[in-house]
Amino acid sequence: MDEWIVLTGAGVLGLIFGSLLNVIISRVPSMTETKLRAEAFELLNMEAPDRPTLNLFVPRSHCPACQTPLNPLHMVPIVSWILLRAECADCGAKISARYPLIELIVCLLAVLAVLVAGVSLESAILLIGTSLLVALATIDLEQGLLPNELSYPLLFLGLVSAVLFPTSAFVAPVESGVIGAVVGYVSFWLINHAFRLVTGRDGMGEGDFKLHAAIGAWIGWELMPYMIVFAFSIGLIYALLQLVKRTYSFTAGIPFGAFLAFSAIITIFLHDQLYAWTFLRS
């Protein structure tokens, strides 16, 4: 009974954290754009036009269609989406299924983190790290972006976790994580450089380099090839589905960063098992 109470509590906290993650997913790209615009105006020695304040707290959560601030009761994770039948209470505009889906995914990650690491600082960091990966994957799928504002904390958190939990079953040792971060960035940079020499254009962006480095800090260099296999497998399935639906674009490519992020989550939770099976099996 006590275990069920703990897991239920973890699930509820996961739903709440998932709701916050939805805010991050929705606002970080716009915040990044605002920052880049301001830097561009400064570089051109021009005065930037006034723009409304936008951060994770201001303005209040609102309907994207009518801009009406949400009633606190309407911000209850998943429940409000169901009760409102996926519509805004004021204007009736459809609410994306992405919101409850993200909340449900983070809820499951919270329960899984507590199951494998107990109620501990390690499980909290595990949840934060995997949630950042979910946010990066979602933003890449929706907008083709991998914001530094999420990739850098993910990298830092992976390296700090290696120091805090040297015997963790989910984070690589410090040496392996540092090498993984370097290999992650350099390997993708070299691949992209070779691609540019052959085709005259980039095959991936710097966001992919940085995300790969952050993932390397978490899983270590030894497991990176297996994570890449997972990512390519997911990417292949995605591309095949797009071809079947006749919506695939060879010029637009695929959001590979999203597949990296999903594969990293799998690798993180299976880290110890993969390492044992690959390197320690007698």
Side-chain angles (χ1 to χ4, degrees):
M1 179 63 70
D2 290 342
E3 182 180 8
W4 281 108
I5 293 175
V6 170
L7 294 179
T8 300
V12 171
L13 288 175
L15 288 173
I16 296 172
F17 192 56
S19 182
L20 172 61
L21 198 68
N22 270 318
V23 175
I24 292 173
I25 292 169
S26 297
R27 299 193 181 189
V28 164
S30 297
M31 291 163 58
T32 301
E33 180 185 356
T34 300
K35 178 182 176 183
L36 291 176
R37 284 179 179 273
E39 291 175 354
F41 276 103
E42 183 178 354
L43 185 64
L44 295 171
N45 198 26
M46 298 172 60
E47 185 177 352
D50 291 333
R51 296 173 66 93
T53 301
L54 176 66
N55 54 47
L56 296 181
F57 307 100
V58 177
R60 282 180 51 196
S61 296
H62 56 272
C63 170
C66 66
Q67 307 300 313
T68 301
L70 298 184
N71 184 303
L73 292 177
H74 295 161
M75 291 188 285
V76 178
I78 294 183
V79 177
S80 61
W81 188 82
I82 296 173
L83 293 178
L84 293 174
R85 298 181 181 181
E87 295 181 351
C88 171
D90 291 278
C91 69
K94 287 293 182 181
I95 301 173
S96 172
R98 185 255 281 173
Y99 295 98
L101 181 60
I102 292 298
E103 291 165 359
L104 181 59
I105 289 174
V106 178
C107 170
L108 294 175
L109 288 174
V111 172
L112 186 57
V114 170
L115 277 174
V116 298
V119 180
S120 63
L121 178 61
E122 183 177 6
S123 64
I125 291 179
L126 186 59
L127 174 60
I128 295 172
T130 52
S131 295
L132 285 173
L133 287 166
V134 170
L136 284 160
T138 306
I139 293 172
D140 196 30
L141 284 170
E142 292 183 348
Q143 304 191 39
L145 298 173
L146 292 168
N148 293 338
E149 290 82 356
L150 300 180
S151 294
Y152 288 158
L154 182 66
L155 171 64
F156 176 76
L157 194 61
L159 296 176
V160 168
S161 299
V163 175
L164 293 177
F165 313 112
T167 60
S168 172
F170 312 102
V171 183
V174 176
E175 298 83 356
S176 179
V178 171
I179 295 173
V182 174
V183 169
Y185 188 94
V186 173
S187 61
F188 270 23
W189 184 90
L190 290 173
I191 292 172
N192 186 64
H193 185 66
F195 186 87
R196 189 191 305 124
L197 290 176
V198 174
T199 66
R201 60 188 180 89
D202 288 323
M204 60 181 75
E206 285 194 19
D208 295 291
F209 309 164
K210 296 168 185 176
L211 174 59
H212 200 211
I215 292 171
W218 276 83
I219 67 176
W221 67 269
E222 299 96 335
L223 294 184
M224 293 182 76
Y226 303 95
M227 186 275 299
I228 288 293
V229 170
F230 294 155
F232 273 112
S233 299
I234 298 173
L236 179 60
I237 294 171
Y238 175 88
L240 290 174
L241 289 174
Q242 296 297 306
L243 286 172
V244 169
K245 295 190 298 182
R246 298 183 180 180
T247 57
Y248 183 78
S249 170
F250 287 96
T251 55
I254 61 175
F256 191 59
F259 309 139
L260 283 175
F262 289 135
S263 301
I265 293 173
I266 296 172
T267 307
I268 288 171
F269 278 107
L270 296 180
H271 186 276
D272 208 33
Q273 291 86 344
L274 285 170
Y275 188 86
W277 179 78
T278 307
F279 300 101
L280 302 181
R281 186 174 59 181
S282 58

